[in-house]
Amino acid sequence: MVTIYIDNVPYEVKPDRNLLEACLSLGFNLPYFCWHPAMGSVGACRQCAVKVFKDETDTKGRLVMSCMEPVRDNLRLSVDEPGAKEFRETVIEWLMTNHPHDCAVCDEGGSCHLQDMTVMTGHAYRRYQFKKRTYRNQYLGPFVNHEMNRCIQCYRCVRFYKDYAGGKDLDVFAAHNHVYFGRSEDGVLENEFSGNLAEVCPTGVFTDKTLKQHYTRKWDLTMAPSVCHHCSLGCNITAGERYGSLRQITNRYNGEVNGYFICDRGRFGYEFVNSASRIRRALVRTQLPEAVSKEVALQQVANILEPARVIGIGSARASLESNFALKTLVGADNFYQGVSDNDYDLVALALKVLKESPARTFSLREVEQADAVFILGEDLTNTAPMLALAVRQSVRQQPLEIVTKANIPLWQDAAVRELTQGESGPLFISTITATKLDEVATATSHADPDSIARLGFAVAYFINSDAPPAMNIPEAELLLAQQIAEVLKAAKKPLIISGCSSGSEAVLKAAANIAAALHAKNKEAGIVLTVPECNSLGLAMLGGHRLESAFEAVLNGYSDSVIIIENNLYRSADKVIVDSFFTKAKEIVVLDHLHHATSEKATILLPAGTFSEADGTLLNNEGRAQRFYQVYPTSEDIQESWRWLSQIGKLWHHPILTGWENLDDITRAIQEQNQQFKGVEKLAPPASFRIAGEKIAREPHRYSGRTAMNAHINVSEPKPPQDPDSPLSFTMEGYRGIVPSPVIPFFWAPGWNSMQSVNKFQEEVGGPLRYGDPGIRLIEPEQRNVPHYFTAVPENFQSLPDHLFLVPLYHIFGSEELSILSPGVAQRIPDPYLALSPADALALGLKEGEPLRFQLNKQTHQLPIKLNHTLTKGTAGLPKGLPGVPFAELPTWAVILKTESESKTEMKPEWKNQPQIIS
């Protein structure tokens, strides 16, 4: 620590900071535009000027830009010196000469960093009398709106989009005060993190287009802390609501998880909550009218179901509490996890690896600090986007050593990038097909899952010969394995990334072997494994039987009724089997928030709350338990799945569920009955938590129209709804200071209305939130010093005549179940297709876009082909979860059928008895 003097008052600060960071961390209000805590300093806006003095006798001082001045011992500066204040006021006036002053119609109004900084500098009146510069705005796709006339040339947008996120299609054009930030021509922004422009931009140039379609000022949103449900990483978000509909998702800072950013699927995939496919009333299909009251539906469930004959099917997208409530209701012997058999095995293996591997699971922040990375089998941009963004930052770590030796501060972003010249640290990728991260990779390998695993096993062996070797590897792959092994051994903080996306247990085992081998060499190696859904790991830790066993229980007559929570079984099993299961089941009770193929089979359908209408807990891929909270009360029969189940239990006089009244009761029961979840009760403050006798307000203090919004019902203001499950209130009344990080409903501080206000909630700028970042890690390696190696190395892949080996492909927009119902995301979903290598297409006589007929699970399908030059010959890529693409347990074999014209003739003899081969 060093001592600096601000207006003659001594403060202790860290030595590796600039003055702007130091002042903000100490609580000073110092305006800035171009600087960003995740992207460093470039000194473009000149707004953060302060006076720096030589010593205590210097009374004149000199103006410096605080974001470009390093902290040093005994440095003296003044924030409030008249000359510095006047300079900052002059700078903001320059910046505003061409700004349209359209706050009243600007989407950013009320949450605008430019507004905050203008007020902070004292620039209240404009003197500029001349014609303003104007631009033509661009169409940038369904997510981001463009209004270039509001630009103040801070360069944040291109620095994030190009330098930080790796985007290629947004740039800066022209020069001096005529610069233009946009694309070379109109078109959809291609980068998967483009929505962050709406938060990175300090003005209204880039704004959330989905919010614009049902616009509400920030101060009129009811908000609550939440967790993204669209992948397994558990990014923290803030959800905002108005008039009973979800209006906006913004990033909620968590220093260990997503930091300052979220991906576009997490930001714009929320509109399934407002979908026309929502289930809003309880339905009993055996009586007319079908829609009934909540009480009638519950009584009907109690009347028609015999507890001894009921099984329960859980869900990897339902909360820990909902799955636990169902398991408790039907009994552990009758609870089934509700995921495909392949996912069941893969997640169970991932959980075993996380617990038993000597390597620790890295958080996203730790991923950014890794200095050598090896990815096996994961297309991270499409399966775990924020992990891909973290990897992009990790490749900068090794080149930064040059910067450190040159005595250049790491926050000096322009100087750092000039010195490193775009060099990248070691990143090795072995995947089924090309990924967007390939462009920053040291070396890549594209192969079938077994070959990926074999490469991984070889790398582990070259690191430590105690690991099992992989035999008969081609020479090129052998050299690559040796290169990867040497780089990982030389790294200070190597990282292995894998997961369930390839559908291969062998790939997971190979990744575990590499991590164990590195640990045996005394390396601080980390491992990160992705899993299919937002609560896949929590469901696996909770335990339960296979989905296939649930089908057998009903088809064989052991059970005749089923309760299904938040799960479309047609996405997890073959359609023929699911249809047979539903036909055989006597009573089917479904709790979900969306109409889909499974809910249509329900005898009784109960409306469950989405993430914005419910409280609950999720476990992300690293085993971090995190709480999400209900954003707004619902006026209909919608409620949490766990609340429906506890009410059913009371009607059944269940000895455990009868005693549950709120969320705290369930989390306490989870912890008591399963030691794996020890600590989950302390994850967030209990419902009884108060500060100065007050709850925490979900609505900002400027929230308006509360009475008017219900005037069509009653001119008197209704009594605010009560929340028995959290310390949050559904009103603007409540405590407004710094609150525990898990229950921060929104970031706001006096003078700081934009997202930049997060610096007031942090222990230091860019550091953890006060009281610690949200979440508790429940998984740590059990035997850190005892490496365990998997020994089953797969054989070389062999193609089969007249067959294709189907491997899974993923799309950030299209593969995930919930986000595809959001209109903006729906515009980005590709059409159904089957990816083929050019060699296979040529052999089959097919061109791009022509249909290929194939047999899968004894059913015939037809999809147009898309050529993929990095697919292994003999394999075909089937997009997982994409609408219009059949479900299959991938990878698996498919039989190639003849074209439509050929099928009119007699089938050749060799086709008649061709067996279907299943991997």
Side-chain angles (χ1 to χ4, degrees):
M1 301 292 282
V2 298
T3 301
I4 63 173
Y5 295 84
I6 302 177
D7 292 316
N8 295 318
V9 178
Y11 297 92
E12 283 196 342
V13 298
K14 291 185 176 180
D16 57 346
R17 300 287 189 267
N18 59 49
L19 289 184
L20 176 59
E21 289 178 281
C23 290
L24 292 174
S25 294
L26 292 169
F28 288 89
N29 289 334
L30 187 56
Y32 62 88
F33 287 115
C34 64
W35 174 81
H36 188 281
M39 295 185 287
S41 307
V42 292
C45 71
R46 328 301 292 171
Q47 186 59 67
C48 61
V50 296
K51 270 284 179 76
V52 170
F53 303 91
K54 292 180 181 178
D55 51 41
E56 61 270 22
T57 63
D58 182 9
T59 57
K60 186 175 181 180
R62 62 187 177 90
L63 282 170
V64 301
M65 302 307 115
S66 61
C67 74
M68 302 295 288
E69 186 75 12
V71 164
R72 60 182 183 275
D73 203 21
N74 294 318
L75 182 144
R76 291 178 174 271
L77 71 142
S78 174
V79 173
D80 295 326
E81 196 272 340
K85 293 177 69 174
E86 182 182 2
F87 183 87
R88 294 197 297 265
E89 185 177 349
T90 302
V91 169
I92 196 74
E93 189 171 19
W94 295 340
L95 295 175
M96 295 293 286
T97 53
N98 284 300
H99 195 277
H101 298 266
D102 61 345
C103 301
V105 297
C106 177
D107 297 347
E108 199 79 358
S111 57
C112 176
H113 186 60
L114 177 61
Q115 285 179 330
D116 292 344
M117 299 300 98
T118 305
V119 173
M120 189 178 293
T121 55
H123 174 61
Y125 297 95
R126 53 180 172 172
R127 297 181 294 169
Y128 185 74
Q129 300 288 325
F130 308 100
K131 187 176 181 180
K132 289 181 180 284
R133 173 202 64 211
T134 57
Y135 290 111
R136 172 187 171 275
N137 301 318
Q138 291 184 314
Y139 170 77
L140 299 179
F143 297 151
V144 178
N145 193 64
H146 190 231
E147 179 52 72
M148 188 56 207
N149 293 327
R150 298 171 183 150
C151 184
I152 59 169
Q153 298 89 45
C154 73
Y155 286 85
R156 269 194 184 185
C157 55
V158 292
R159 290 180 61 216
F160 168 78
Y161 196 88
K162 292 179 61 182
D163 298 342
Y164 195 92
K168 300 291 188 296
D169 58 323
L170 182 125
D171 213 329
V172 55
F173 304 92
H176 52 89
N177 69 331
H178 292 288
V179 291
Y180 187 92
F181 298 92
R183 288 170 51 90
S184 58
E185 59 183 6
D186 286 20
V188 177
L189 287 173
E190 297 170 3
N191 192 268
E192 293 78 9
F193 307 96
S194 64
N196 290 290
L197 294 174
E199 290 183 22
V200 166
C201 177
T203 73
V205 177
F206 299 100
T207 53
D208 182 342
K209 185 175 282 189
T210 66
L211 175 67
K212 189 181 185 72
Q213 293 165 1
H214 39 217
Y215 187 64
T216 302
R217 294 294 188 191
K218 178 181 177 180
W219 66 72
D220 278 336
L221 290 173
T222 301
M223 289 172 276
S226 194
V227 177
C228 180
H229 280 52
H230 298 304
C231 84
S232 64
L233 298 183
C235 295
N236 287 203
I237 57 174
T238 296
E241 171 272 350
R242 179 74 166 173
Y243 288 114
S245 68
L246 198 59
R247 302 294 178 91
Q248 186 182 36
I249 295 294
T250 53
N251 170 70
R252 178 166 63 103
Y253 179 86
N254 185 321
E256 286 299 318
V257 186
N258 51 299
Y260 291 91
F261 309 115
I262 54 176
C263 75
D264 285 355
R265 184 166 69 190
R267 186 182 297 275
F268 302 113
Y270 68 90
E271 289 197 278
F272 73 91
V273 174
N274 309 321
S275 170
S277 298
R278 284 298 307 277
I279 303 165
R280 300 189 178 278
R281 295 290 306 277
L283 303 176
V284 177
R285 298 253 165 81
T286 56
Q287 61 187 63
L288 293 174
E290 291 186 346
V292 297
S293 68
K294 181 192 307 182
E295 293 73 21
V296 170
L298 284 169
Q299 192 59 56
Q300 189 73 3
V301 171
N303 291 341
I304 66 174
L305 296 186
E306 298 178 35
R309 301 280 293 172
V310 177
I311 63 171
I313 297 179
S315 169
R317 62 173 166 88
S319 69
L320 189 62
E321 289 81 1
S322 294
N323 282 296
F324 177 74
L326 180 58
K327 183 177 181 180
T328 305
L329 179 68
V330 300
D333 291 340
N334 297 317
F335 178 72
Y336 302 84
Q337 286 195 16
V339 300
S340 70
D341 284 353
N342 205 21
D343 283 353
Y344 183 96
D345 292 331
L346 289 166
V347 177
L349 176 59
L351 181 59
K352 174 183 172 67
V353 170
L354 296 183
K355 286 182 175 182
E356 299 178 2
S357 171
R360 184 175 182 273
T361 303
F362 279 5
S363 67
L364 289 183
R365 176 180 281 264
E366 291 172 307
V367 171
E368 293 179 350
Q369 298 163 353
D371 59 350
V373 181
F374 183 24
I375 301 173
L376 290 91
E378 287 294 309
D379 180 2
L380 295 180
T381 306
N382 289 306
T383 61
M386 285 300 296
L387 183 54
L389 189 63
V391 169
R392 283 189 179 274
Q393 313 322 309
S394 74
V395 299
R396 298 190 64 205
Q397 292 304 307
Q398 199 172 90
L400 290 181
E401 294 178 3
I402 306 171
V403 176
T404 303
K405 291 177 182 178
N407 293 321
I408 297 175
L410 297 182
W411 46 261
Q412 277 271 24
D413 191 61
V416 168
R417 292 186 184 276
E418 181 67 24
L419 182 61
T420 57
Q421 290 292 308
E423 288 188 24
S424 296
L427 168 63
F428 299 94
I429 303 175
S430 181
T431 48
I432 290 172
T433 186
T435 74
K436 280 201 170 183
L437 284 177
D438 288 3
E439 65 188 15
V440 294
T442 307
T444 61
S445 170
H446 304 125
D448 61 278
D450 283 349
S451 297
I452 293 170
R454 288 172 60 78
L455 176 65
F457 278 108
V459 171
Y461 176 75
F462 285 127
I463 293 171
N464 186 352
S465 58
D466 291 340
M471 309 302 290
N472 302 320
I473 294 182
E475 184 177 356
E477 294 296 302
L478 200 64
L479 293 173
L480 177 60
Q482 290 175 324
Q483 179 189 4
I484 296 171
E486 291 303 317
V487 169
L488 292 176
K489 285 194 292 185
K492 297 176 182 177
K493 199 174 182 181
L495 170 64
I496 311 304
I497 298 176
S498 188
C500 304
S501 300
S502 65
S504 170
E505 290 189 26
V507 171
L508 278 171
K509 292 175 180 178
N513 275 16
I514 299 171
L518 287 168
H519 187 270
K521 294 295 184 180
N522 298 315
K523 289 292 179 181
E524 293 184 16
I527 187 168
V528 174
L529 302 178
T530 67
V531 290
E533 296 193 65
C534 61
N535 201 29
S536 291
L537 216 57
L539 182 62
M541 287 178 66
L542 194 62
H545 304 300
R546 295 174 178 274
L547 181 59
E548 181 183 10
S549 300
F551 297 154
E552 291 174 355
V554 171
L555 292 173
N556 294 330
Y558 300 122
S559 300
D560 57 14
S561 301
V562 59
I563 300 176
I564 304 169
I565 61 166
E566 302 179 41
N567 199 333
N568 182 1
L569 300 185
Y570 288 94
R571 291 180 63 92
S572 301
D574 183 71
K575 182 179 183 299
V576 174
I577 298 174
V578 179
D579 283 342
S580 300
F581 168 72
F582 284 136
T583 301
K584 183 72 173 179
K586 179 181 176 183
E587 303 293 348
I588 304 164
V589 178
V590 175
L591 292 77
D592 211 338
H593 38 76
L594 293 167
H595 285 286
H596 46 64
T598 294
S599 67
E600 294 306 308
K601 303 289 185 179
T603 309
I604 299 176
L605 187 57
L606 304 179
T610 63
F611 74 95
S612 64
E613 301 153 339
D615 302 271
T617 304
L618 301 177
L619 262 71
N620 76 347
N621 67 306
E622 58 175 312
R624 184 185 301 271
Q626 299 184 108
R627 182 69 49 81
F628 62 93
Y629 288 97
Q630 186 175 359
V631 183
Y632 55 97
T634 57
S635 58
E636 298 154 314
D637 292 338
I638 298 171
Q639 58 183 5
E640 298 95 333
S641 293
W642 56 259
R643 198 181 300 278
W644 281 111
L645 294 167
S646 66
Q647 291 168 352
I648 294 170
K650 289 175 183 177
L651 291 174
W652 284 357
H653 304 290
H654 193 285
I656 297 177
L657 278 76
T658 301
W660 291 351
E661 296 297 335
N662 61 18
L663 186 71
D664 291 340
D665 295 332
I666 304 180
T667 53
R668 192 178 304 113
I670 292 172
Q671 181 173 294
E672 290 172 354
Q673 294 189 29
N674 194 327
Q675 285 301 303
Q676 292 185 97
F677 297 104
K678 185 178 180 181
V680 73
E681 186 182 4
K682 299 178 181 178
L683 182 61
S688 59
F689 178 82
R690 301 290 185 275
I691 300 179
E694 294 184 305
K695 279 196 163 193
I696 301 159
R698 282 180 171 91
E699 298 169 355
H701 67 283
R702 294 182 296 167
Y703 190 89
S704 63
R706 188 165 65 187
T707 300
M709 67 197 311
N710 293 299
H712 64 293
I713 301 171
N714 194 325
V715 294
S716 301
E717 185 174 340
K719 179 182 177 181
Q722 300 300 304
D723 184 358
D725 302 306
S726 80
L728 298 163
S729 71
F730 287 114
T731 68
M732 59 191 287
E733 288 78 28
Y735 186 77
R736 302 196 174 279
I738 301 297
V739 301
S741 56
V743 289
I744 298 173
F746 50 84
F747 293 117
W748 178 90
W752 297 80
N753 297 288
S754 75
M755 290 297 293
Q756 308 298 315
S757 58
V758 69
N759 73 78
K760 298 296 184 182
F761 293 79
Q762 296 168 321
E763 292 180 2
E764 61 177 354
V765 169
L769 294 171
R770 298 182 189 183
Y771 305 109
D773 290 319
I776 296 176
R777 281 180 61 127
L778 301 182
I779 299 177
E780 294 291 350
E782 294 173 352
Q783 299 177 347
R784 189 174 292 273
N785 297 317
V786 185
H788 166 75
Y789 295 110
F790 294 98
T791 58
V793 181
E795 298 294 328
N796 279 319
F797 170 75
Q798 297 290 334
S799 60
L800 292 177
D802 303 324
H803 287 72
L804 287 171
F805 189 60
L806 299 186
V807 291
L809 301 182
Y810 295 85
H811 292 273
I812 184 174
F813 307 120
S815 291
E816 195 273 328
E817 178 181 6
L818 301 178
S819 60
I820 58 177
L821 292 176
S822 300
V825 170
Q827 295 182 43
R828 302 288 302 275
I829 298 175
D831 293 330
Y833 68 92
L834 183 73
L836 280 185
S837 70
D840 285 324
L842 182 64
L844 292 169
L846 294 174
K847 297 179 181 179
E848 178 101 15
E850 292 184 341
L852 173 66
R853 294 175 68 243
F854 57 96
Q855 189 179 76
L856 182 63
N857 296 333
K858 300 181 180 179
Q859 299 174 56
T860 299
H861 304 281
Q862 179 173 290
L863 288 172
I865 69 162
K866 181 182 289 187
L867 297 183
N868 186 311
H869 294 268
T870 55
L871 270 178
T872 302
K873 187 177 185 300
T875 66
L878 190 68
K880 195 82 180 284
L882 200 67
V885 173
F887 167 82
E889 292 269 23
L890 301 176
T892 189
W893 290 95
V895 180
I896 302 171
L897 299 180
K898 293 183 294 185
T899 63
E900 291 286 353
S901 58
E902 292 173 323
S903 64
K904 295 177 181 179
T905 62
E906 179 64 28
M907 186 177 291
K908 295 179 182 179
E910 61 265 28
W911 284 96
K912 289 185 176 180
N913 300 313
Q914 179 65 58
Q916 184 185 16
I917 300 176
I918 307 234
S919 66

